[in-house]
Amino acid sequence: MQNATYTPSRPCRVEDVPAWNIETDVLVVGFGAAGSCAAIEARRAGARVCVLEVASAGGGSAALSGGEVYVGGSGGTSIQRANGFEDSTEDLAAYLTLSGGPGADGERVRVYAEGAEAHFRWLQELGVPFKGSYLPGKWIEPTTDDTLLWSGNELAWPFSATAKPAPRGHTVQFKGWGGGKVLMEHLCAQAAAAGADIHYNARGLTLVVDRDGGVAGVVARIDGEVRFVRALKGVVLSAGGFIVNRDMVARFAPAALACVKEVSGGNDDGSGIRMGMAVGATAIHMDQFFATVPFFPPESLVKGIFVNERGERFINEDAYHGRVGHYVLRQPGGRAWLLVDNEIFGRPVIKPNVEIAAVGETWAEIEQELGIPAGALQHTVEEFNVRAAEGQDPYFHKAAPWLRPLSVPPFAALSYCSEDLEAHAFTLGGLHTLPGGEVLDADGRPIAGLFAAGRTACGLPRWGEGYSSGLSLGDSTFFGRQAGGSAAQR
């Protein structure tokens, strides 16, 4: 069988394994946020741990992130409290439930909300650096080395009407873009120091199943050679999502094809999900994805209003940029513009080349230049201005700090039409698991020996419209620990 062709969608039968080249207790496939934490926790439970990482270094896509971890509850983390913010477990759970959308997992939400503050202390105890300072305002990702920020929809309707707002984005200490590399350097180093046997340039090819349908190990290609790795206690799949596999995206999340920028370290090819599905695992919410069309900073642009080709508003612009992005992407004809006046005009930092689709001294000129039906845009702006002057937004409930009339000419429309978009995306769907990481089959029963975490699993973030920055790292590190611990104790 050494010369056989292995694919994630067809498992290898244990009777076809010529010999086990490596034997371990817990085998972790993928060495990103979830995999590193799974390895640490399994080692702390006394299990032998082997890690397979397809790249030449650890970190995965998490190493390219902003390094924000979404945590709170239990009265608040030490950093929340030090900066004057209280955060109850109930409010965190309520927020996570709403952000999880129609398919929110109540048990997973409860486990995370009750353990998030302790999980943050765990990260601190590992040596992950957090400066501790608070950064007010709206940010896609902080370029300072501050810690605490509003990283989601906490202050925006309808979330603010459901849960008492609190900033929960906890960012590692790093100046500039991409603080995730600092987080992953610490987590990967801790996994190695704990004694995990880490193999780089090691691709998991397919699962090995025993005669009862349980998972016994993995067929891997390590440094170009096919190797059979036996896992006596369990396999943890933490190989990322599937955003770079355009065939899978077209099949499961076709709306994400509108997003030309893949948020990935390059190896989110869906192989972990496919391995699980091949042995009977259920994959859920596969149509869901994070998407953003960044339109701030400067935060002054949040005071503008988005309109579609009918001249209608469609979202409260103070919502999280990913939520706004989803609404922008599905407007009629793929056409949307951000309307601004001279007082708040600016170029988005992340998209400085945004096209100015129209400029005029009156909104009638803007309307005509955009080709919007006569009077439609003018009516929208006029009504918005009247209400904003009164501090009200009865249709979309934009918060008062972001409400002001658009009345200082010249006026402009920034294009967020599909032909001008550079939307960013990664997938949220994945294998159906219990909070402990156990992968479930179509009948909701655990598959013996199989666990998953991170974006290979469908975790807390499972609804693109409710995503918050830091949810993926929070979910991956927390439930990676759960999966590693569960596998070690099997």
Side-chain angles (χ1 to χ4, degrees), residues 145-237:
D145 62 352
D146 296 299
T147 299
L148 188 63
L149 72 155
W150 300 91
S151 66
N153 289 295
E154 301 87 2
L155 290 168
W157 183 88
F159 300 85
S160 59
T162 300
K164 181 181 177 181
R168 301 189 182 98
H170 290 63
T171 311
V172 297
Q173 187 170 359
F174 178 79
K175 287 186 177 181
W177 301 99
K181 62 184 177 182
V182 175
L183 173 68
M184 293 315 305
E185 284 170 359
H186 280 78
L187 293 180
C188 292
Q190 287 292 332
D197 180 21
I198 303 163
H199 297 265
Y200 296 108
N201 302 307
R203 178 181 293 278
L205 300 176
T206 193
L207 293 172
V208 177
V209 292
D210 61 27
R211 292 174 177 82
D212 298 320
V215 173
V218 165
V219 183
R221 181 179 293 110
I222 303 175
D223 292 325
E225 298 292 329
V226 172
R227 293 289 183 263
F228 298 87
V229 187
R230 186 180 189 185
L232 297 177
K233 291 179 175 291
V235 172
V236 179
L237 296 174

Side-chain angles (χ1 to χ4, degrees), residues 273 276-277 280-284 286 430-433 439-444 447:
I273 297 172
M277 293 172 69
T282 301
I284 60 174
M286 292 289 281
L431 301 179
H432 190 192
T433 66
V439 175
L440 304 178
D441 65 15
D443 293 321
I447 297 172

Side-chain angles (χ1 to χ4, degrees), residues 117 183 200 338 348 383 395 443 465:
E117 187 273 332
L183 173 68
Y200 296 108
L338 179 64
E383 183 173 15
Y395 302 128
D443 293 321
E465 292 183 33

Side-chain angles (χ1 to χ4, degrees), residues 1-25:
M1 293 296 294
Q2 285 279 1
N3 297 320
T5 300
Y6 298 101
T7 174
S9 59
R10 290 195 299 274
C12 173
R13 299 179 304 174
V14 71
E15 55 264 36
D16 291 330
V17 174
W20 295 108
N21 303 109
I22 300 172
E23 183 176 283
T24 189
D25 293 323

Side-chain angles (χ1 to χ4, degrees), residues 51-75:
V51 179
L52 303 178
E53 168 54 47
V54 66
S56 58
S61 296
L64 301 179
S65 72
E68 297 167 41
V69 181
Y70 200 88
V71 287
S74 302

Side-chain angles (χ1 to χ4, degrees), residues 14-49:
V14 71
E15 55 264 36
D16 291 330
V17 174
W20 295 108
N21 303 109
I22 300 172
E23 183 176 283
T24 189
D25 293 323
V26 176
L27 175 59
V28 179
V29 181
F31 199 36
S36 59
C37 290
I40 293 168
E41 207 68 28
R43 281 296 300 141
R44 289 188 172 185
R48 294 175 299 166
V49 176

Side-chain angles (χ1 to χ4, degrees), residues 253-261 287 289-294 306-308 314-315 321-337 416-426 464-465:
L257 293 173
C259 304
V260 297
K261 291 199 172 182
D287 63 323
F289 58 97
F290 162 86
T292 185
V293 286
F306 275 103
V307 297
N308 59 26
F314 51 84
I315 186 67
H321 57 89
R323 180 173 173 84
V324 173
H326 271 273
Y327 278 77
V328 168
L329 286 169
R330 60 173 180 253
Q331 289 311 300
R335 306 180 78 202
W337 301 271
Y416 282 83
C417 298
S418 57
E419 63 267 22
D420 299 317
L421 285 180
E422 291 182 354
H424 304 58
F426 60 84
E465 292 183 33

